[in-house]
Amino acid sequence: MPRQRTVSVPAEGGISLDGVLYVPEGEGPHPAVTMAHGFGGTFEQGLRPFAELFAARGFAVLLHDHRGFGRSGGEPRHDVDPWRQIADWRRVISFLEAQPEVDGERIGLWGTSYAGGHALVLGATDRRLRAVVAQVPTISGYEQGLRRVPPDEVAAVEEVFAEDERAQARGDAPRRQKIVSDDPDEPASYHMPDAVGFYLAERPGNVWRNEITVRSNRAARMYEPGVWAPRVSPTPLLMVVAGKDTVTLTDQALAAYERALEPKRLVLVPGGHFDAYTRGFDLAGGAAADWFETHLKHVPVRTGKPAATAVGEPVQSGRIPRKRGAGDGRPSAPAVRGDG
C-alpha cells in the first residue's frame, strides 16, 4: 500500500499550501505527479481516487489545495485568481522536486476543470514538467460566459462586478456569493444540477464552503488558457474531454486539442463535465496513468530540453480524424472514445 503524509508548502506572502504526498511502495526515488482541483473546490472533491490510482502505479503524488481554500492559508478566503494559483503551483513543483522520495527529473502535472486550464499554461511555460494531463479543462472564459449568461442579463452581471469594484475602492471586503445553487434566482457560479450535486456531495474530511468572491467570476470570464495549448509541445500533452460538457465546453476543448502540437493524445469520456470523476473514472484515470507511465518512466537524462517521448516509444497521436484530403500529411491514430 502506498503511504501518505500531510505536507505544508511555503508560498509567497508567508502562507502555506496544505497538501498530501502519496509515496508508492518500492525503492525510490520515484517519478512524481502534482495535482490540483478546479474552480472553488478542494482536493477532497474527487481527486483522491486519481491520486490513489497513480500511487498504485508507482508514482509519488502530491495533492494541494489552492490558497484560500481547504486548509491552505491565504486571504481573502475563497478568492480565485488563476494567475496567483499558477504561481503557487510552480512553488509546489519546486517543493516536490526537493522531496527525497522523488526523482526531480521525472515530474508530471495533472489538472482538472479550472486547473486543467492551469495545466495548459504550466505545461507551456515550465519545462521542468515531463508530461501534462488536462482533464475537462477550461479553455476560454469568454466563450463560457457567452454560453452561460443570456445576452439580456450581461449588463446586470457587469453592473454587479462594477459595484463590487467600487465597494472595494471604498475599503470594503470583496463581495461574496454561492458557488452552486439549485435556485435559479439566487446568485451563484453554477446552477446546473450536475454541478450542484458534485459540489454539495458530502465527503469525509472535506473542508469546503459554498462560497466564492464575486470578483472570482470576473477573473474566470477573463481567463483564456486555451491560447497556450499550441505552446505545450514538445512536452507530451494528454487532454481528457467530456463528450457533452456544458461547463468547460466540449467544442472549445476539441478545438484547443486540434491547435496543440505533437506529442499529444485525446481521450473522449462519455457524458458531462463531472462524469470524468465518476462513471468515466476508469477511462479518464486509466488513460492518465498510462500517459504518465509512458512519459515519466525510463526517460533519458535531461540535456536542457524536455524529451518529447519516452525512450523506445513512438509518438502517439490522438488527432481528431479529419475528412479525407484535409490532413496535414502526418499519420494520425484515432481519438480514444469511451462511448464505443
Side-chain angles (χ1 to χ4, degrees):
M1 288 284 293
R3 64 187 187 277
Q4 58 180 288
R5 69 172 190 268
T6 58
V7 297
S8 182
V9 181
E12 288 187 11
I15 67 122
S16 295
L17 304 176
D18 180 70
V20 174
L21 178 65
Y22 289 79
V23 179
E25 295 179 327
E27 185 177 355
H30 305 280
V33 177
T34 173
M35 302 175 62
H37 57 82
F39 188 83
T42 72
F43 64 69
E44 297 290 1
Q45 291 174 304
L47 269 65
R48 278 193 184 265
F50 290 93
E52 291 164 0
L53 171 63
F54 301 156
R57 292 282 291 268
F59 299 97
V61 183
L62 178 54
L63 296 168
H64 79 275
D65 279 335
H66 297 301
R67 71 168 60 212
F69 290 91
R71 294 182 177 87
S72 289
E75 295 289 342
R77 303 299 294 174
H78 313 120
D79 186 54
V80 180
D81 178 341
W83 297 104
R84 179 69 267 170
Q85 292 183 349
I86 288 167
D88 285 342
W89 206 341
R90 290 191 203 280
R91 194 59 53 86
V92 172
I93 296 168
S94 297
F95 177 88
L96 186 57
E97 281 183 316
Q99 300 310 297
E101 305 96 335
V102 169
D103 180 349
E105 293 289 304
R106 296 186 290 163
I107 293 178
L109 184 143
W110 182 99
T112 188
S113 195
Y114 206 60
H118 300 353
L120 296 176
V121 177
L122 284 161
T125 60
D126 199 319
R127 295 302 173 187
R128 293 177 294 176
L129 299 172
R130 303 301 291 263
V132 172
V133 176
Q135 175 176 285
V136 291
T138 291
I139 299 299
S140 171
Y142 174 74
E143 289 292 338
Q144 288 177 206
L146 290 179
R147 313 281 180 95
R148 194 170 297 159
V149 181
D152 60 348
E153 296 180 13
V154 170
V157 169
E158 292 294 341
E159 183 58 26
V160 169
F161 293 153
E163 280 300 316
D164 178 50
E165 174 58 32
R166 294 183 188 110
Q168 290 180 64
R170 294 191 298 267
D172 294 349
R175 294 180 178 179
R176 298 174 181 276
Q177 66 174 49
K178 287 187 175 180
I179 299 175
V180 293
S181 175
D182 57 8
D183 181 354
D185 295 323
E186 182 176 32
S189 300
Y190 305 110
H191 292 97
M192 301 88 83
D194 55 347
V196 173
F198 180 83
Y199 276 95
L200 296 184
E202 291 190 11
R203 295 177 173 88
N206 191 24
V207 180
W208 178 81
R209 291 181 63 181
N210 187 14
E211 181 180 275
I212 201 80
T213 60
V214 168
R215 69 184 188 183
S216 297
N217 296 295
R218 168 175 265 179
R221 289 166 65 87
M222 296 164 57
Y223 187 38
E224 298 290 320
V227 302
W228 296 92
R231 308 172 197 176
V232 175
S233 176
T235 303
L237 171 65
L238 170 67
M239 287 184 62
V240 178
V241 178
K244 297 180 180 179
D245 194 331
T246 58
V247 177
T248 55
L249 308 177
T250 301
D251 63 304
Q252 291 296 308
L254 295 179
Y257 178 79
E258 279 288 85
R259 296 192 299 271
L261 305 178
E262 301 288 354
K264 63 179 181 176
R265 188 184 182 206
L266 172 69
V267 171
L268 292 174
V269 176
H273 184 79
F274 299 98
D275 286 311
Y277 306 88
T278 55
R279 65 189 182 97
F281 169 79
D282 289 344
L283 176 60
D290 290 345
W291 193 248
F292 291 136
E293 184 90 23
T294 297
H295 296 290
L296 296 183
K297 292 188 176 181
H298 313 297
V299 295
V301 176
R302 282 195 188 277
T303 58
K305 295 181 180 180
T309 60
V311 172
E313 293 288 343
V315 172
Q316 294 189 26
S317 171
R319 292 181 63 81
I320 303 167
R322 300 171 181 262
K323 294 180 181 179
R324 183 172 297 178
D328 56 6
R330 293 182 296 178
S332 296
V336 177
R337 297 185 60 90
D339 54 4

